[in-house]
Amino acid sequence: MESFERARLDAYFARIAAQFNPVEQTASFLVTHLLPERPAFVRAVATMTRLTAVLPKPKSVDAAARREVEQTYPVDPLSRDRFTEVDSALDYLESRATGETVSLLDVGGYFAPTLADVHNGFTGRLLGVVEDTENGHRRYEDLEKLPCPVISVARSPLKDPEDFLVGQSVVFSTEAVMRERGDILHGRPALVIGFGKLGSSIARLLHAKGVQVTVFDIDAVRRTQALSQGFAVARDREAALTGAGLVLCATGSVSLRGEDFGHLRNGAYVATVTSSEDELDLAGLPHVYTRTQVGDHVTRYQTTGHYFYLANGGNAVNFLHGASVGPFIFLVQAEILAAIRMLASNDLPPGIHEVPAADREAIAATWLSYFNR
């Protein structure tokens, strides 16, 4: 990032932080993709909270960004195991923030499995959670009872530009990975599993490139939406897999289970928009499959009479090329900062909440003044 770009970004976040200055500064734990532009957001979080620890998503860490962040803030390893067991989760939080008032800033529902027990057992006070993603939103939504407020920005209109551009980056990276092996998109029927905001963006972009696209979604409403937009809609996932030369998984939950991989046609490519642990049940794949690295970012799975290719080890394919969506990501990051103030006000009941429309309008106006030049 150029020095003038860094200065503009810091000025933008300083303006946002001033607009949404919290009444009380809490401690915070920040889960984030540690991409090249992310240190500016980390600094902004640190102006609004006492940033107790940064937990980078392990498959999306830029080395230079990590070095920059860890010069000033604690950077701890992140895994789902850490927050799956109550004792492990509590031990970690206590080691960093014993007796403090804490906000959890999440990307993907990492804190969800033990949230109720942590809320009850923590020596301090857990104000709540801010969640950034759709799959994380669902993880919290699926809990039987939320013990504290969860502010989700996953379905915010400010996230729409990001979702569209992430779809573009997924298609770009998938094609780049295929071309590295001498393959191309054209002539390969594509199956998009999941027709939410990301899946629908991917389907439209593939169609614009002249690719034949079929959609599968378990939600009947989304299937009707796909049909109305001119896509073939699979009634049966097994048959759809058999006919696809490219499968793009965009559900945020498990798209392909172990038994599904056997239905892939020979030579099919599989790519995802999120981590393999969320999207693919690779552990359930029969052990008769051998794994061979056949390119920098491609693994061939092969058994007698059958083989397919997996991009980027099943992790989000767009992170191979930085996953950049330009300055539009700063809209969502600003909304996360606004959500910090909402939590700090300490007047939200348990349940899922969203940032008010008036705050989103103020964020968009500020963003336009800095980036629409």
Side-chain angles (χ1 to χ4, degrees), residues 282 285 289-291 299-303 306-308 310:
L282 291 172
L285 193 66
Y289 281 87
T290 60
R291 298 156 175 80
T299 306
R300 182 179 65 225
Y301 285 72
Q302 185 172 18
T303 187
H306 186 234
Y307 70 100
F308 64 90
L310 182 63

Side-chain angles (χ1 to χ4, degrees), residues 70-148:
E70 63 189 3
Q71 287 176 5
T72 310
Y73 312 106
V75 176
D76 292 333
L78 176 66
S79 70
R80 292 216 178 267
D81 291 343
R82 168 167 274 171
F83 301 105
T84 301
E85 296 294 330
V86 176
D87 289 344
S88 172
L90 279 172
D91 286 348
Y92 173 68
L93 294 177
E94 296 288 1
S95 72
R96 287 292 190 192
T98 300
E100 296 197 49
T101 300
V102 169
S103 299
L104 304 176
L105 311 180
D106 203 355
V107 179
Y110 278 84
F111 303 108
T114 53
L115 185 64
D117 292 309
V118 166
H119 183 268
N120 294 331
F122 181 53
T123 59
R125 183 162 59 106
L126 182 58
L127 274 184
V129 180
V130 180
E131 172 56 50
D132 182 32
T133 65
E134 177 63 26
N135 59 325
H137 179 113
R138 292 178 191 168
R139 288 176 195 269
Y140 289 108
E141 195 172 48
D142 288 344
L143 295 180
E144 185 175 336
K145 185 178 181 181
L146 285 169
C148 60

Side-chain angles (χ1 to χ4, degrees), residues 32-44:
T32 185
H33 298 288
L34 206 48
L35 299 174
E37 92 297 329
R38 206 55 53 100
F41 173 62
V42 173
R43 291 191 292 272

Side-chain angles (χ1 to χ4, degrees), residues 328-350:
F328 294 96
I329 188 66
F330 308 139
L331 286 163
V332 182
Q333 291 170 353
E335 190 167 357
I336 292 170
L337 299 180
I340 289 172
R341 184 181 71 169
M342 291 175 64
L343 284 183
S345 69
N346 199 28
D347 59 2
L348 294 175

Side-chain angles (χ1 to χ4, degrees), residues 19-20 157-158 335 338 341 354-366:
Q19 283 179 289
F20 297 102
L158 292 183
E335 190 167 357
R341 184 181 71 169
E354 62 179 30
V355 173
D359 287 353
R360 293 197 297 258
E361 175 71 22
I363 289 166
T366 300

Side-chain angles (χ1 to χ4, degrees), residues 149-301:
V150 174
I151 303 173
S152 173
V153 302
R155 298 176 182 178
S156 166
L158 292 183
K159 201 171 175 70
D160 289 347
E162 178 191 348
D163 289 332
F164 173 75
L165 292 166
V166 167
Q168 277 198 330
S169 71
V170 167
V171 173
F172 171 87
S173 294
T174 301
E175 185 170 24
V177 166
M178 293 173 64
R179 284 183 177 275
E180 286 173 5
R181 300 200 66 256
D183 289 326
I184 60 174
L185 288 174
H186 295 82
R188 285 179 174 270
L191 172 64
V192 177
I193 302 178
F195 199 71
K197 289 192 288 186
L198 277 179
S200 59
S201 172
I202 290 167
R204 287 193 294 270
L205 290 160
L206 286 171
H207 178 72
K209 286 178 169 286
V211 176
Q212 177 188 335
V213 180
T214 299
V215 168
F216 178 84
D217 198 298
I218 60 172
D219 187 310
V221 173
R222 288 180 174 174
R223 292 201 298 273
T224 63
Q225 291 171 340
L227 202 60
S228 73
Q229 294 176 34
F231 297 109
V233 174
R235 296 185 180 186
D236 177 78
R237 181 170 58 171
E238 179 180 321
L241 287 171
T242 303
L246 168 65
V247 180
L248 279 157
C249 303
T251 66
S253 57
V254 180
S255 291
L256 296 177
R257 301 198 177 275
E259 63 271 18
D260 294 325
F261 291 97
H263 299 298
L264 293 167
R265 85 180 195 185
N266 276 338
Y269 282 82
V270 176
T272 76
V273 305
T274 187
S275 61
S276 57
E277 61 190 10
D278 292 331
E279 204 73 54
L280 304 173
D281 177 25
L282 291 172
L285 193 66
H287 294 299
V288 293
Y289 281 87
T290 60
R291 298 156 175 80
T292 306
Q293 198 74 20
V294 293
D296 289 342
H297 309 296
V298 179
T299 306
R300 182 179 65 225
Y301 285 72

